[in-house]
Amino acid sequence: MRLHKLTLTAFGPFGATQEVDFDALSSAGIFLLHGPTGAGKTSVLDAVCYGLYGAVPGARQSPGTSLRSDHAPVDLPTEVCLELTVGGRRLEITRRPAQPRPKKRGGGFTTEKAQSWLREYDPEHGWKALSRSHQEIGEEIGGLIGMSRDQFCQVVLLPQGDFARFLRADAEARGKLLGRLFDTRRFAAVEERLAELRRVAEARVKAGDERILALAQRIAQAAGPVADEVPLPDARPGEPGLAEGVLQWAAVARSGAAERSDIARCVLAGAEGRAAAARRAFEAERELARLQQRYEETRRRAAGLEDRRAERDRCHEQLARARKADLVAPALDLRDEAERAHRTAVEARERSRAMLPPELAEAGFEQLAGTERSLRAELGALDAARRAERRSREIDAERSGLERQSRSDDELIQEAAQWLAGWDATHRSLRERVETAQEAATRAEQLAGRLDPARRRLEAARRRDALGVREETAAAALTAARERAVEAHEKWLALREQRLRGIAAELAGQLVDGVACTVCGSAEHPEPARAEAGHVDRATEEAALAAHQRADRDRAEAENELGVVRERLAAARAEAADPEDEDGATGPAGRSHASVAALRDVVDRLTREHADAHRTAAGTHAAREALAAAEREHLGRLDDRQQAERRGAARTSQREALDRERSALEAELVKARGACDSVAEHAGLLERRAGLLADAAEALRVEQDAAERLKEADGRLADAAFRAGFATPEAAAAKLLGDAAQRELQHRIDAWQTEAATVADRLAEEDARVASDRPPAEPDAAQEAYDRSAQVLRDSAATHAAAEERCVELGRLSRRAEEEVRALGPLRQEYERVARLAGLTAGTSADNERKMRLEAYVLAARLEQVAAAATARLQRMSAGRYTLVHSDERSGGRRAGLGLHVVDSWTGRERDTATLSGGETFFASLALALGLADVVTDEAGGVRLDTLFIDEGFGSLDDQTLDEVLDVLDSLRERDRSVGIVSHVADLRRRIPAQLEVVKERHGSAVVHRAAGTLSG
């Protein structure tokens, strides 16, 4: 069983909704549950028990105790929701106790009945509801956990005080605890059960004979006709030889049934042969009909081929002419391409000549090429001038870049100078900020140490003032109760005295004539006394006495209430007092009794100061980072200024070198530009003129080549048409067909040839031709003959199956009869065994050497198991010193079997557990609790308990023993267990990082999760 999450609403001291995440706590293996006294640590455990069983542990389940929180609003219902995994199922249990709620109409309250919900988590469909019945939920959870509420509280919550008393208790007290945990009442019922089994054994033997006879009747029914030949033996239940006679008769019946089954098998074999022959004849007729039909179909297809032969010849001739025309198609394509190329070349030549000067419009190819070469030579002479012009532009760009760099460095030097001028003040301010944050961190720690005691004093002062009012009220109630008691006592004494004065009249009222008087003994009563006015009888006196006794009890209760209030008031005053509190008013004996308002002011002041210091201290890291960043920036600005000054000196010399180079290039450029503005413009003009001349020469050459190719293409086309058998190229072009048309013609020719080949193959089939010469087939008659033989076969198979089934049924019933016969022997032996066991459990048998009843023996065995399981952990906690052993010592003349001793390995002696010290008693009781948890878990069916709680007791251990105890608890994680420790010990908060703190507040307690330096609400 593993706990996942607990949600509390208006439960116990928790006024609002609180959540406990056991998954987060259990991930560390061990977690600590701590908080001040009265905060509600035990209420968390009570909520777990209430969620599972609908009730808190027995000691806190008193009739007058309410589970509802006094801090909760009236409209917030009390509710506990527990999510856990048990038996491989994830469940959610929600419970609400009976509680008052405001009426929907009108004023006042009404009591709402208790409610429960049970849900289960399905990985595919989420949460689904199971039940809202208290009884069904209790049975479901109890069956899954396998423990009662008392067992769960003793095994899972591990109350250390109970086990410390268990160590020192006598045998009777131990027996009560063990009996409650292990529920040994079931062993007391074993004797009655064994006696009942002894009475039933004889009836079972007779019932066994009756069952054998019933099986014989069923065998006779299953045998059918065989039973008429072999009659059933006549016998009655209990008679000797009944079982053997039935078995022999069943064997004979099985033999007759087997013989009939063999006959039916032979008949079935003959029917199968005849049916097979009929099936073969039917299949032969069906095959003959198929061949005759195939031959007729083939002849019809041959006639259709002859009808389509003329169309096939026409397609073949058209396809042949188209394929001859395909031989001329390349020459046609080549001539068309040459004609298109010639037209394109002529158009290009005309365009290029239009762009030439008039004097070159009619020039030939050689003249154009020569003029282009002269322009290219002149253009090559301008390459050096172009390079000089590019270098001149580059010098201008470099001069501009130097100017930009100079301005940028000047700005950088000016900015660095301004920033460095305020560096000392900035550095001093940042260092002061770091020191202030560090001082605030120290002050926050000091204030935190003062704030907690101040809050405790404030809470104690509030309790002191409230208890002061209660003291006055209790004192007044005591005074009134005393007065009422005195008045009732005086009234009773007065009535008693008055009754004694008139007792004679009361006695006279009891006199009977002829009966002796109880006072004087006379049988005559001449003048009996008469009651006076206002006479007091016995009933009146007893009523006054009862009133006096009630008043006296009320006085005693008032005195007790006043004493309790004064004790609490003294404790609250002591806790609220502080001789060093300068804000309080000093009272008697030098102790201050500060008012609640003054203490609240102190707490508020300390809270504000702590919050301010904490906020200031939170900026320590940021202040240090800012100081480091500023120091890095200071060094960077110094370096930037120095680098800028160096770059300025280098730029001066570079600028002078560029000026000298530019002066040398300027003279060369003036000559190369000519009438143009730049060398590049002059070179571009020459480049364009040379390009036009080159384009015109190339166009002329291309036009001449295209005319020559057109002439060659015309000759090739005429030659190709002649070789293909056409008179002219135009005739060949008329017979051309596309690829799709040729494929269609070829497909039609191929289809006809394929069909012709298929028909020829089928006409050549010998079996179809021979079948056509035979008389027509008659498959329907063969089908009828086959159906009749199949029906005969089915009837024979049914007869054989019935015979086989009869044999199988007879065999099964015979085996059951044999089993019943074999079962009779153990039944008789069972009676003797049950009788012997009944004597052993009652302690009256001679075999019971210890003369112990079964319940006492089981308790002793359980205690022995618990001691053995506890010893494994006790030795680790005590560093191998102590061992728990079970003792069978006699007590009061009887063997109790419930003694418990401890063996001290240092002395080698066995002594009583009551001699252990406080710390030794704690870890011995802890080991006993863990051992008992293991044994009870196994007793409950081996239900896995993955979450345990240990309540208090760690304060009595030294550091070394505490480490050993924590190591033992930490080893429980090897079985994937988690352990929750409930303790006030401050050292455990340092040793156990995973914590659940219960904080006590004015408006109700709250839980806080802490884990390894983290905090979550």
Side-chain angles (χ1 to χ4, degrees):
M1 181 192 71
R2 177 177 293 277
L3 305 181
H4 296 295
K5 186 173 70 174
L6 174 67
T7 304
L8 310 172
T9 302
F11 185 85
F14 304 101
T17 299
Q18 305 292 327
E19 288 190 1
V20 179
D21 188 353
F22 285 113
D23 284 337
L25 295 171
S26 301
S27 61
I30 301 178
F31 61 91
L32 178 65
L33 176 59
H34 68 94
T37 302
K41 300 186 298 298
T42 306
S43 296
V44 175
L45 308 184
D46 291 348
V48 173
C49 183
Y50 181 74
L52 291 173
Y53 296 96
V56 297
R60 296 183 287 276
Q61 186 69 19
S62 58
T65 303
S66 174
L67 301 179
R68 180 167 177 79
S69 175
D70 296 334
H71 302 282
V74 294
D75 58 345
L76 182 64
T78 299
E79 182 179 280
V80 172
C81 181
L82 179 63
E83 187 177 335
L84 73 159
T85 296
V86 59
R89 300 167 61 187
R90 185 153 186 157
L91 303 175
E92 181 190 76
I93 311 170
T94 304
R95 295 187 186 271
R96 289 185 180 181
Q99 53 189 302
R101 64 167 176 80
K103 293 182 178 179
K104 296 181 179 179
R105 296 181 180 178
F109 292 83
T110 182
T111 301
E112 190 177 56
K113 294 182 180 180
Q115 302 179 63
S116 298
W117 296 269
L118 178 62
R119 299 195 305 168
E120 181 174 5
Y121 182 75
D122 187 346
E124 296 182 358
H125 304 93
W127 290 101
K128 61 178 181 179
L130 295 182
S131 177
R132 294 191 62 177
S133 169
H134 298 297
Q135 183 177 359
E136 290 179 358
I137 296 175
E139 293 175 354
E140 181 75 14
I141 299 301
L144 290 173
I145 298 178
M147 288 185 285
S148 64
R149 185 188 66 180
D150 290 340
Q151 288 177 317
F152 178 84
C153 295
Q154 198 76 29
V155 171
V156 177
L157 304 184
L158 301 184
Q160 295 303 299
D162 289 355
F163 286 98
R165 289 191 294 272
F166 183 83
L167 282 174
R168 297 184 172 90
D170 55 12
E172 182 178 357
R174 287 181 184 141
K176 290 181 179 179
L177 176 60
L178 293 174
R180 186 175 70 251
L181 290 177
F182 293 106
D183 192 16
T184 55
R185 293 175 298 176
R186 62 187 185 276
F187 296 102
V190 171
E191 292 182 50
E192 298 178 5
R193 178 59 179 165
L194 290 175
E196 182 181 357
L197 291 176
R198 180 173 52 188
R199 291 190 299 269
V200 171
E202 183 179 3
R204 287 184 174 177
V205 173
K206 186 176 180 180
D209 286 342
E210 291 177 349
R211 287 194 297 272
I212 292 174
L213 284 176
L215 285 173
Q217 295 293 339
R218 293 179 62 183
I219 291 173
Q221 293 176 0
V226 178
D228 299 336
E229 302 172 1
V230 185
L232 180 66
D234 187 11
R236 295 180 180 178
E239 292 184 1
L242 171 64
E244 291 75 7
V246 171
L247 293 180
Q248 293 175 2
W249 172 83
V252 174
R254 289 199 306 274
S255 176
E259 183 178 355
R260 290 176 177 268
S261 177
D262 293 339
I263 296 172
R265 187 183 300 109
C266 294
V267 174
L268 176 61
E272 289 175 346
R274 290 188 293 273
R279 184 175 63 241
R280 289 192 297 271
F282 168 62
E283 292 176 351
E285 286 297 316
R286 188 168 54 185
E287 178 65 14
L288 177 61
R290 185 187 69 80
L291 292 173
Q292 291 175 348
Q293 183 179 0
R294 178 181 178 86
Y295 188 76
E296 289 299 324
E297 180 185 358
T298 302
R299 295 188 64 180
R300 286 195 301 272
R301 291 171 65 179
L305 281 174
E306 288 300 323
D307 294 339
R308 299 197 305 273
R309 181 179 293 276
E311 180 185 358
R312 175 257 180 192
D313 294 340
R314 186 171 55 256
C315 292
H316 190 275
E317 181 181 358
Q318 186 179 1
L319 180 61
R321 297 293 292 173
R323 286 178 177 173
K324 287 182 179 181
D326 287 342
L327 299 176
V328 186
L332 285 170
D333 294 339
L334 183 62
R335 198 266 177 193
D336 293 340
E337 182 180 356
E339 186 177 7
R340 287 194 300 271
H342 182 259
R343 285 197 302 270
T344 302
V346 171
E347 293 172 357
R349 183 197 64 187
E350 295 300 325
R351 285 195 303 271
S352 63
R353 284 185 178 276
M355 300 178 68
L356 292 176
E359 63 272 11
L360 297 177
E362 299 299 331
F365 178 78
E366 293 298 333
Q367 183 180 0
L368 293 174
T371 306
E372 180 195 2
R373 284 192 296 272
S374 63
L375 290 176
R376 294 289 181 188
E378 184 180 356
L379 184 63
L382 295 177
D383 289 342
R386 279 199 294 253
R387 287 194 297 271
E389 189 176 41
R390 284 198 301 271
R391 178 57 186 160
S392 178
R393 288 195 298 270
E394 291 174 357
I395 290 173
D396 293 340
E398 290 180 8
R399 286 291 303 270
S400 299
L402 290 175
E403 294 299 328
R404 286 195 301 273
Q405 293 176 6
S406 178
R407 289 194 298 272
S408 176
D409 285 345
D410 291 343
E411 293 175 358
L412 189 148
I413 292 172
Q414 183 178 3
E415 181 183 357
Q418 293 175 355
W419 191 90
L420 292 172
W423 163 244
D424 293 336
T426 302
H427 186 259
R428 185 167 51 256
S429 174
L430 291 174
R431 290 197 61 83
E432 291 176 356
R433 178 183 170 189
V434 173
E435 293 172 358
T436 301
Q438 292 175 342
E439 292 174 358
T442 303
R443 177 167 176 76
E445 293 180 359
Q446 296 173 352
L447 290 173
R450 294 174 56 191
L451 183 58
D452 209 23
R455 286 173 175 169
R456 290 196 297 269
R457 290 190 61 223
L458 174 60
E459 185 64 26
R462 289 169 176 166
R463 292 199 308 273
R464 178 198 64 199
D465 294 349
L467 289 171
V469 175
R470 287 184 59 186
E471 181 190 21
E472 295 176 358
T473 304
L478 176 60
T479 301
R482 285 175 176 171
E483 292 176 355
R484 289 193 297 271
V486 171
E487 291 177 357
H489 185 256
E490 292 177 353
K491 181 178 179 180
W492 170 62
L493 291 177
L495 291 175
R496 185 168 180 271
E497 184 179 357
Q498 186 176 355
R499 182 190 173 208
L500 290 176
R501 287 198 300 268
I503 194 67
E506 184 176 340
L507 295 174
Q510 301 175 359
L511 295 177
V512 179
D513 292 337
V515 179
C517 176
T518 58
V519 179
C520 64
S522 174
E524 297 180 358
H525 318 296
E527 295 182 1
R530 299 184 180 276
E532 300 178 354
H535 175 68
V536 177
D537 56 5
R538 176 186 293 273
T540 304
E541 181 189 357
E542 290 178 351
L545 176 60
H548 159 60
Q549 292 174 346
R550 286 195 302 273
D552 194 58
R553 285 195 299 272
D554 293 342
R555 177 193 57 76
E557 292 177 357
E559 289 178 350
N560 183 50
E561 176 67 19
L562 180 59
V564 171
V565 171
R566 284 176 175 172
E567 289 179 1
R568 295 180 179 175
L569 179 60
R573 284 173 176 171
E575 188 175 357
D578 186 359
E580 298 181 0
D581 187 359
E582 61 185 5
D583 297 324
T586 303
R591 298 182 63 82
S592 64
H593 299 286
S595 65
V596 172
L599 291 175
R600 185 169 55 249
D601 292 341
V602 172
V603 170
D604 294 342
R605 176 174 55 80
L606 290 175
T607 301
R608 289 193 301 273
E609 292 177 357
H610 177 264
D612 295 340
H614 188 271
R615 283 193 299 271
T616 305
T620 302
H621 178 73
R624 290 175 177 171
E625 290 292 329
L627 177 59
E631 290 176 346
R632 289 193 298 270
E633 186 176 2
H634 174 252
L635 295 176
R637 288 184 180 272
L638 289 175
D639 184 66
D640 291 343
R641 184 176 66 180
Q642 185 178 6
Q643 295 294 332
E645 292 173 351
R646 292 176 181 175
R647 288 194 298 271
R651 279 194 298 272
T652 300
S653 59
Q654 187 177 3
R655 192 180 295 114
E656 293 175 355
L658 291 176
D659 291 341
R660 289 193 298 270
E661 184 179 3
R662 183 175 182 180
S663 298
L665 294 174
E666 190 63 29
E668 180 182 356
L669 292 175
V670 170
K671 180 180 179 181
R673 291 190 189 108
C676 297
D677 294 335
S678 65
V679 176
E681 184 180 353
H682 189 199
L685 178 62
L686 295 177
E687 181 71 31
R688 287 193 295 275
R689 289 177 179 176
L692 291 174
L693 291 172
D695 292 342
E698 179 64 20
L700 182 58
R701 184 187 63 79
V702 170
E703 188 269 336
Q704 293 172 355
D705 293 342
E708 184 65 28
R709 286 196 298 271
L710 178 59
K711 183 178 180 180
E712 292 177 358
D714 287 337
R716 290 179 182 177
L717 176 59
D719 185 51
F722 177 75
R723 286 198 302 269
F726 295 99
T728 61
E730 290 77 9
K735 295 297 182 180
L736 284 175
L737 290 177
D739 293 340
Q742 291 187 24
R743 284 196 299 272
E744 176 63 23
L745 292 174
Q746 185 64 50
H747 176 71
R748 294 166 66 181
I749 294 170
D750 292 343
W752 189 93
Q753 292 176 347
T754 302
E755 178 68 8
T758 302
V759 170
D761 290 341
R762 292 180 63 170
L763 288 174
E765 293 177 355
E766 183 66 22
D767 53 353
R769 185 182 60 78
V770 172
S772 65
D773 296 336
R774 295 178 59 184
E778 296 181 356
D780 294 338
Q783 174 75 41
E784 293 177 1
Y786 171 66
D787 292 341
R788 288 193 299 272
S789 63
Q791 181 62 41
V792 173
L793 176 60
R794 286 193 293 272
D795 295 341
S796 301
T799 303
H800 177 259
E804 288 291 333
E805 184 179 359
R806 183 178 298 112
C807 291
V808 172
E809 181 67 11
L810 288 175
R812 185 182 66 82
L813 294 174
S814 297
R815 287 192 296 274
R816 286 191 57 185
E818 292 173 358
E819 292 172 359
E820 292 292 342
V821 171
R822 285 194 298 270
L824 284 176
L827 287 177
R828 294 187 179 91
Q829 297 175 2
E830 182 182 1
Y831 170 74
E832 298 176 359
R833 183 171 61 256
V834 169
R836 185 170 62 255
L837 289 175
L840 285 172
T841 56
T844 58
S845 174
D847 296 334
N848 191 337
E849 297 179 358
R850 299 178 182 272
K851 303 301 180 183
M852 294 176 65
R853 298 182 64 86
L854 180 60
E855 184 177 9
Y857 180 79
V858 170
L859 288 177
R862 290 289 184 265
L863 181 59
E864 195 169 14
Q865 294 175 351
V866 171
T871 295
R873 296 186 174 92
L874 178 59
Q875 287 183 340
R876 290 187 60 184
M877 295 181 188
S878 62
R881 180 177 179 182
Y882 293 117
T883 301
L884 283 175
V885 295
H886 165 253
S887 175
D888 278 339
E889 294 180 357
R890 294 181 180 273
S891 175
R894 296 186 302 169
R895 182 183 299 275
L898 297 177
L900 192 62
H901 291 173
V902 63
V903 178
D904 189 345
S905 63
W906 289 7
T907 63
R909 294 188 177 182
E910 181 177 325
R911 54 191 173 97
D912 193 85
T913 54
T915 61
L916 295 173
S917 65
E920 293 170 342
T921 299
F922 166 71
F923 61 69
S925 63
L926 176 57
L928 189 65
L930 294 175
L932 183 62
D934 292 340
V935 175
V936 172
T937 299
D938 295 338
E939 174 70 14
V943 176
R944 183 181 180 86
L945 299 177
D946 296 321
T947 308
L948 300 177
F949 296 92
I950 301 174
D951 194 1
E952 290 299 348
F954 290 85
S956 60
L957 304 179
D958 55 47
D959 291 342
Q960 180 179 357
T961 307
L962 182 59
D963 288 338
E964 293 171 350
V965 170
L966 290 179
D967 288 343
V968 171
L969 295 178
D970 190 60
S971 67
L972 295 177
R973 289 192 295 178
E974 297 174 0
R975 300 175 62 183
D976 197 21
R977 280 184 173 179
S978 60
V979 180
I981 297 177
V982 184
S983 178
H984 293 88
V985 178
D987 192 32
L988 289 177
R989 302 180 193 177
R990 178 180 58 83
R991 296 170 182 258
I992 303 176
Q995 300 177 15
L996 179 67
E997 181 180 3
V998 183
V999 181
K1000 182 167 61 176
E1001 300 175 348
R1002 181 178 184 88
H1003 302 293
S1005 299
V1007 296
V1008 180
H1009 291 76
R1010 304 180 187 272
T1014 63
L1015 173 66
S1016 61

